[in-house]
Amino acid sequence: MRKSRSLLPLLIVATGCWEGGEPAAAIRYNPEQARTVLIATLDAWKKGEAKTLPKRNPPIRFVDDDFIDGLLLADYEIDEPDGPIGPHKDVNVILSLRDAYGKTIHREARYQVATEPALAVLRSDR
């Protein structure tokens, strides 16, 4: 009897997190906004303005090891430009990077894009 009573609050909380079989966060996810945020982030990196992303309104959190390592983004191509962007799904992007010596590096990257609770573009392949 005690075990069933202690599980009841957990079941109530878990049930409240789901609506119609989908997580509540997935219902609020905005794929168009996610695409806009990804493009804005990559464009800012390409223009040398990625450090200003956290100061934008709304701020964008950007995490990418190549950016942190000081590589410059010369160009990029979203693998499926019209493909759906969903929560917790990787978006494949082909990056054209330049190192400090001007050497060009082509790399495939995967990003996850968050729209809730805050905007974020996170590299997920490294």
Side-chain angles (χ1 to χ4, degrees), residues 45 62-71 107 111 123 125-126:
W45 186 12
F62 177 49
V63 177
D64 184 296
D65 288 342
D66 287 329
F67 169 69
I68 292 168
D69 290 342
L71 294 173
R107 196 168 278 160
Y111 292 96
R123 182 94 174 252
D125 63 299
R126 296 189 108 200

Side-chain angles (χ1 to χ4, degrees), residues 29 33-42 45 53 59-65 91 93 110-115 118-124:
Y29 193 81
Q33 182 184 28
R35 182 175 314 288
T36 300
V37 168
L38 176 62
I39 291 169
T41 299
L42 294 172
W45 186 12
L53 291 168
I60 302 172
R61 180 174 175 231
F62 177 49
V63 177
D64 184 296
D65 288 342
V91 179
V93 179
R110 288 187 305 274
Y111 292 96
Q112 290 193 7
V113 183
T115 60
L119 303 179
V121 176
L122 311 171
R123 182 94 174 252
S124 60

Side-chain angles (χ1 to χ4, degrees), residues 66-112:
D66 287 329
F67 169 69
I68 292 168
D69 290 342
L71 294 173
L72 304 174
L73 181 62
D75 206 1
Y76 68 90
E77 182 180 338
I78 298 173
D79 195 31
E80 292 183 45
D82 297 324
I85 297 179
H88 312 293
K89 302 233 175 163
D90 289 336
V91 179
N92 295 321
V93 179
I94 300 162
L95 304 175
S96 219
L97 303 164
R98 280 205 193 101
D99 66 12
Y101 305 104
K103 179 182 174 189
T104 301
I105 303 163
H106 296 283
R107 196 168 278 160
E108 291 184 27
R110 288 187 305 274
Y111 292 96
Q112 290 193 7

